[in-house]
Amino acid sequence: DTEVTQTPKHLVMGMTNKKSLKCEQHMGHRAMYWYKQKAKKPPELMFVYSYEKLSINESVPSRFSPECPNSSLLNLHLHALQPEDSALYLCASSRGETQYFGPGTRLLVL
Amino acid sequence: KQEVTQIPAALSVPEGENLVLNCSFTDSAIYNLQWFRQDPGKGLTSLLLIQSSQREQTSGRLNASLDKSSGRSTLYIAASQPGDSATYLCAVIYGGATNKLIFGTGTLLAVQP
């Protein structure tokens, strides 16, 4: 298995909702990442997990809460989001230096 | 501040042409540089990774070069095809305990049949 999967593909949520994004890989990679990508912009790093521990938080608002329950799974819990949080959320994993990206979750906050 | 810029922002070429995409970075102390491809609304596909000690990498019709001292990288695509149409992103890593990628602004490529 050489891919990173993300669910759901699309998500529409209101500003009072709580939802979660899921990312999974079975390549034995011990580093996993969340990126946010706005339209026509490059991805921006949000969080990095290394060996299931949070190693980088790029000053992301607390309404985004990451979780790494095990070495294959990475979640991003969403609560009280704003319309400006609408974006493509990308997950990636790596063992060495090459990062492998999932297809992303397209999030729309109404 | 570490910034990565790509020129041109958009490029349209007829099928069969050879083309060059450019990437420049302000801090030359990079650990390595990656080129990615992104299709509309999709995730990123890694194309090539160049270590800071290397000058170039090749994969099929793609050739990436790196001039670390001048803060530049180029992606050369030979004999372009309509299937090459996508956004191409370069990204640099400055080392450290984790692989923090800093992405360039991207080049949107359209290859006309």
Side-chain angles (χ1 to χ4, degrees):
Chain A
D1 190 349
T2 58
E3 65 173 350
V4 177
T5 60
Q6 290 187 244
T7 55
K9 285 188 169 61
H10 302 275
L11 179 62
V12 180
M13 60 186 291
M15 290 188 283
T16 59
N17 292 157
K18 285 185 181 180
K19 297 286 185 183
S20 296
L21 309 184
K22 178 180 172 181
C23 172
E24 202 161 1
Q25 57 87 15
H26 296 286
M27 296 179 279
H29 293 172
R30 303 313 297 267
M32 296 186 77
Y33 312 76
W34 280 115
Y35 289 86
K36 174 182 178 179
Q37 187 177 25
K38 301 283 280 183
K40 300 189 187 302
K41 297 289 186 183
E44 294 180 342
L45 183 66
M46 300 175 72
F47 302 104
V48 180
Y49 272 83
S50 180
Y51 290 87
E52 299 155 54
K53 294 194 186 308
L54 183 65
S55 59
I56 293 181
N57 176 342
E58 290 288 296
S59 302
V60 179
S62 59
R63 57 185 184 269
F64 295 91
S65 175
E67 178 197 21
C68 190
N70 59 59
S71 60
S72 300
L73 189 57
L74 184 66
N75 297 320
L76 186 63
H77 303 298
L78 314 173
H79 173 55
L81 294 193
Q82 304 296 310
E84 59 264 30
D85 296 322
S86 299
L88 180 67
Y89 288 84
L90 295 163
C91 173
S93 69
S94 69
R95 177 186 290 148
E97 295 149 351
T98 301
Q99 292 190 21
Y100 298 86
F101 282 78
T105 293
R106 175 76 58 189
L107 174 66
L108 177 62
V109 182
L110 300 176
Chain B
K1 183 182 177 184
Q2 297 160 338
E3 294 183 346
V4 184
T5 306
Q6 291 184 244
I7 295 173
L11 181 63
S12 180
V13 300
E15 182 177 4
E17 270 204 10
N18 303 324
L19 58 99
V20 175
L21 308 180
N22 298 290
C23 172
S24 60
F25 40 96
T26 54
D27 183 348
S28 62
I30 65 169
Y31 185 67
N32 64 43
L33 182 146
Q34 271 187 272
W35 281 94
F36 291 89
R37 168 191 173 134
Q38 186 173 31
D39 292 290
K42 306 289 187 183
L44 280 69
T45 300
S46 179
L47 298 172
L48 291 163
L49 182 147
I50 310 178
Q51 301 283 357
S52 61
S53 58
Q54 297 175 319
R55 298 286 291 185
E56 65 179 287
Q57 282 285 342
T58 298
S59 175
R61 293 184 293 109
L62 305 180
N63 176 279
S65 68
L66 175 64
D67 184 343
K68 188 179 164 186
S69 61
S70 66
R72 294 182 181 182
S73 175
T74 62
L75 179 66
Y76 174 83
I77 302 177
S80 59
Q81 302 170 358
D84 294 330
S85 299
T87 295
Y88 289 80
L89 294 155
C90 68
V92 298
I93 292 178
Y94 286 100
T98 56
N99 296 336
K100 179 180 175 180
L101 285 172
I102 299 175
F103 282 90
T105 46
T107 293
L108 176 60
L109 173 64
V111 180
Q112 309 298 333

